[in-house]
Amino acid sequence: MYEIVYGPMAQPWQARLSKETREAFPRLHALVREDPRAAVAELRAWIAREPLPMFFNWLGAAYSVLGDTDGMRDTVLENYRRNPQYLFARANYAELCLCDGDIAGAREALGAALDIRPFLGGRRRVHVSEVAAYFYAVALYHIQAGDLAAAEKVYEMLDEVCPDDVSTENLRRRLHPRLRDLFSR
């Protein structure tokens, strides 16, 4: 069994980082939503001196908020190339593959068994954001593969674990569109 963590979750590798880097995490993460343009500039500077996988992940998210598809795509590809074991790099890369119609590439990124465990490095605790990102990509894979029953099972799990997450809502709209959803596209 796994324990899903909903609050902050310290990782052992974080202790090896400088105090300055650790203290920058909350501010940089918040900056992605509050001022994505400033986040892009700051995260690029941080990546130049400390190319952490999460910095790439946040940079990709900032580009996405700005609507910079090329910046987002380049960042996701670079993160996956540099950090293939990083769960968010895999999930984001799988989504890119699916957008490009590369279902085999998505399956490779998500793992042959579509199982999150190999990407947790032996951990038994998993953050809810990891669950949401990985299984959202798995559900999109199932939808594209034509297995709506499997996608529905993943959606039900996400609806139980993280009902308010944007990925859960996006899946609900895809699998169970309401009339208002059809007109809001």
Side-chain angles (χ1 to χ4, degrees):
M1 294 298 294
Y2 289 86
E3 175 190 355
I4 298 174
V5 178
Y6 289 86
M9 190 170 116
Q11 298 289 345
W13 60 266
Q14 291 175 339
R16 294 187 298 269
L17 300 173
S18 71
K19 182 180 178 187
E20 177 190 17
T21 302
R22 288 191 314 270
E23 289 177 350
F25 285 171
R27 184 183 60 75
L28 290 170
H29 188 258
L31 199 56
V32 170
R33 296 271 185 253
E34 295 165 6
D35 188 353
R37 199 164 310 284
V40 166
E42 284 205 45
L43 286 164
R44 289 173 63 87
W46 275 98
I47 287 169
R49 60 184 226 212
E50 198 154 10
L52 297 174
M54 68 176 28
F55 288 162
F56 283 99
N57 189 46
W58 296 344
L59 178 60
Y63 279 129
S64 182
V65 171
L66 290 170
D68 184 344
T69 307
D70 292 335
M72 183 270 302
R73 175 179 285 279
D74 291 346
T75 303
V76 167
L77 292 172
E78 182 68 11
N79 200 14
Y80 186 65
R81 184 187 69 73
R82 287 182 181 216
N83 307 294
Q85 287 308 112
Y86 182 56
L87 182 75
F88 289 105
R90 286 187 164 269
N92 294 335
Y93 179 74
E95 285 188 51
L96 275 187
C97 288
L98 292 169
C99 286
D100 293 342
D102 181 5
I103 198 161
R107 181 68 181 243
E108 182 180 320
L110 295 169
L114 298 177
D115 184 353
I116 196 172
R117 290 177 290 191
F119 309 114
L120 296 179
R123 292 187 279 132
R124 290 283 188 217
R125 298 178 80 217
V126 58
H127 196 268
V128 67
S129 63
E130 294 174 303
V131 172
Y134 182 81
F135 286 105
Y136 177 69
V138 168
L140 294 178
Y141 168 82
H142 286 309
I143 290 169
Q144 194 151 338
D147 190 347
L148 295 180
E152 180 66 31
K153 286 181 184 177
V154 174
Y155 164 71
E156 289 170 2
M157 183 270 298
L158 287 176
D159 194 41
E160 185 176 320
V161 171
C162 50
D164 298 326
D165 193 89
V166 68
S167 60
T168 305
E169 179 60 19
N170 287 343
L171 281 177
R172 187 209 47 83
R173 284 187 178 139
R174 289 186 98 148
L175 295 169
H176 306 283
R178 297 177 184 150
L179 190 56
R180 71 174 176 252
D181 297 333
L182 297 174
F183 290 105
S184 66
R185 290 185 183 179

